Amino acid sequence: MLILGIESTCDETGVAVVENGTKIFSNFIASSVVKLAKYGGVVPEVVARDQVKFIIPLIEKSLEGIDRGKIDAIAVSSGPGLVGSLLIGVETAKTLATAWRKPLIPVNHLKGHIYANWLKVDSSQFTVKQNNKKPKFPLVALIVSGGHTDLVLMKNHGDFKILGSTLDDAAGEAFDKVARVLGLGYPGGPEIEKLAKQFTVDGSQLIVKFPRSMLNSDDFNFSFSGIKTAVANYVDSQSLIGNRKEEIAYEFQEAICDVLISKTICAAKKFNASSVVVGGGVSANTRLRSQLTARCLPLEIPIFFPSKILSVDNGAMIASAAFFERKYVDPKRLTVDPLLHF
Ligand code: KG4
Ligand code: ZN
């Protein structure tokens, strides 16, 4: 089954064609991040105007060399996200589904981040490692993006149970805000990661310590607003810039990873998970990947991360989630839902 997937929930526009939820035929992403750098964050109006320009050329590019008649369905993220951005993807998908007489499948963007772990790529145009193994159920999924931090239990395809969520900021949001405090660019995650790598730990060097909020709370919820304030206060109190920035970036990243990893491992043990899967922009973080992998290894729980280009928002993950859920909707009845839950 060949699905055209459309993603436009935030500052990326993605379109892809995917077969049977796993095999990527095409996957194109256009982003507004370069334009957003000067604002230090997402400006919904700026993003939506870009998306209007990006979406049709991306659809045309994704379908190059593919017979449109062979597309079996159109899938689109219908939430959660920014209302203006969502509308562009959803209205485009509704129009295509009607004009081409194709079934329409709305997808929860967060489920898309989980299903990015089912995608494999066998074309030389992608720099993605082929991975033929699939996650096994029951699985624990950690979704870490700019807007969400969720731990989810999946007993089967389509069977999602939220175990916990952030009570305030998302992990990605904390990366972005701390990057701004440190005078780094947007998006903050990759910038912090780069800076943290420049810090060499020899024990005595690490002076600063940031809180691991809710590390020992007896649940699977998170809180990341405290660490953001702790970093801002520390920077103010030291009036520091210069070489301490690397140390701050390092310790901040360690604190975020410690909490994410500890809760994910607890959930995996409690629910006897056969796999752990991670998705969302923060899952591109190398430190999170290496530390979580190291913690899963002795437990013999296979861990899955999407390739880095599939960690961030993209149309392929939407087409994959659509294939496994296949909940069709009448185009006339589909509306966007900025606050969509599982
Ligand atoms: O999933 P995503 O592309 O968009 C949302 O659905 O929000 O995630 C974007 C978030 C941003 O907050 C960005 O700073 C973060 O993912 N991010 C990272 C890294 N790459 C992107 N965070 C930490 N380390 C990274 N390497
Ligand atoms: Zn996302």
Side-chain angles (χ1 to χ4, degrees):
M1 180 177 190
L2 215 52
I3 299 183
L4 178 82
I6 298 177
E7 155 62 33
S8 71
T9 55
C10 190
D11 51 4
E12 263 91 33
T13 313
V15 183
V17 175
V18 176
E19 187 180 53
N20 295 337
T22 55
K23 186 175 174 185
I24 299 178
F25 277 71
S26 60
N27 183 34
F28 293 98
I29 301 167
S31 178
S32 301
V33 287
V34 173
K35 206 177 266 183
L36 295 174
K38 70 171 176 224
Y39 303 105
V42 176
V43 182
E45 177 77 14
V46 170
V47 171
R49 283 178 187 274
D50 271 352
Q51 286 170 320
V52 170
K53 282 185 257 158
F54 292 154
I55 199 154
I56 301 295
L58 285 174
I59 291 169
E60 283 170 344
K61 241 173 140 181
S62 296
L63 288 171
E64 264 169 28
I66 297 168
D67 177 359
R68 193 211 291 164
K70 298 231 162 79
I71 299 287
D72 297 295
I74 315 276
V76 64
S77 304
S78 59
L82 302 169
V83 67
S85 296
L86 286 167
L87 277 168
I88 291 154
V90 166
E91 291 307 314
T92 306
K94 284 161 71 173
T95 308
L96 287 184
T98 308
W100 296 351
R101 295 171 195 277
K102 306 281 183 193
L104 181 62
I105 308 173
V107 170
N108 179 323
H109 174 82
L110 301 173
K111 294 181 183 174
H113 277 308
I114 295 177
Y115 276 105
N117 288 287
W118 269 260
L119 291 165
K120 57 185 176 158
V121 180
D122 60 1
S123 162
S124 57
Q125 62 175 303
F126 298 106
T127 53
V128 179
K129 213 170 70 194
Q130 181 88 31
N131 178 5
N132 288 319
K133 293 200 182 101
K134 294 275 172 313
K136 288 206 175 78
F137 299 110
L139 64 80
V140 163
L142 172 68
I143 303 169
V144 265
S145 71
H148 294 83
T149 304
D150 298 312
L151 266 173
V152 178
L153 175 67
M154 267 182 92
K155 290 193 175 154
N156 212 330
H157 288 297
D159 179 352
F160 301 88
K161 182 174 178 251
I162 288 257
L163 302 175
S165 296
T166 181
L167 303 179
D168 40 57
D169 288 356
E173 201 176 345
F175 270 98
D176 294 335
K177 286 177 177 167
V178 165
R180 203 156 21 165
V181 166
L182 294 177
L184 307 172
Y186 175 83
E191 298 287 325
I192 298 235
E193 179 175 352
K194 226 188 297 165
L195 202 61
K197 273 194 190 130
Q198 290 167 28
F199 182 73
T200 37
V201 208
D202 71 2
S204 60
Q205 263 180 300
L206 193 63
I207 302 163
V208 59
K209 194 84 186 150
F210 293 129
R212 272 79 173 150
S213 302
M214 297 185 71
L215 183 66
N216 298 314
S217 67
D218 209 11
D219 57 26
F220 296 112
N221 291 327
F222 303 89
S223 167
F224 295 112
S225 73
I227 188 168
K228 173 193 72 189
T229 313
V231 175
N233 289 344
Y234 187 77
V235 170
D236 277 353
S237 71
Q238 305 284 310
S239 49
L240 54 79
I241 302 295
N243 60 5
R244 300 290 306 286
K245 275 194 190 179
E246 287 85 355
E247 182 190 349
I248 295 170
Y250 175 87
E251 167 60 7
F252 165 76
Q253 185 176 262
E254 291 301 295
I256 298 276
C257 288
D258 281 354
V259 180
L260 292 174
I261 292 167
S262 162
K263 299 245 167 178
T264 306
I265 294 294
C266 272
K269 282 185 185 163
K270 179 166 178 181
F271 295 99
N272 281 324
S274 299
S275 308
V276 167
V277 310
V278 191
V282 182
S283 73
N285 187 277
T286 311
R287 186 69 177 160
L288 178 65
R289 286 177 179 237
S290 62
Q291 296 291 95
L292 190 49
T293 304
R295 291 285 298 278
C296 283
L297 203 66
L299 301 173
E300 296 185 7
I301 305 175
I303 177 151
F304 294 79
F305 290 92
S307 65
K308 289 199 180 182
I309 55 159
L310 298 172
S311 289
V312 292
D313 294 350
N314 65 84
M317 68 185 199
I318 301 307
S320 177
F323 172 79
F324 288 105
E325 274 208 317
R326 269 172 280 177
K327 285 189 183 154
Y328 299 102
V329 70
D330 177 348
K332 289 195 280 299
R333 298 173 70 93
L334 180 60
T335 52
V336 302
D337 187 349
L339 301 175
L340 185 64
H341 292 296
F342 277 93

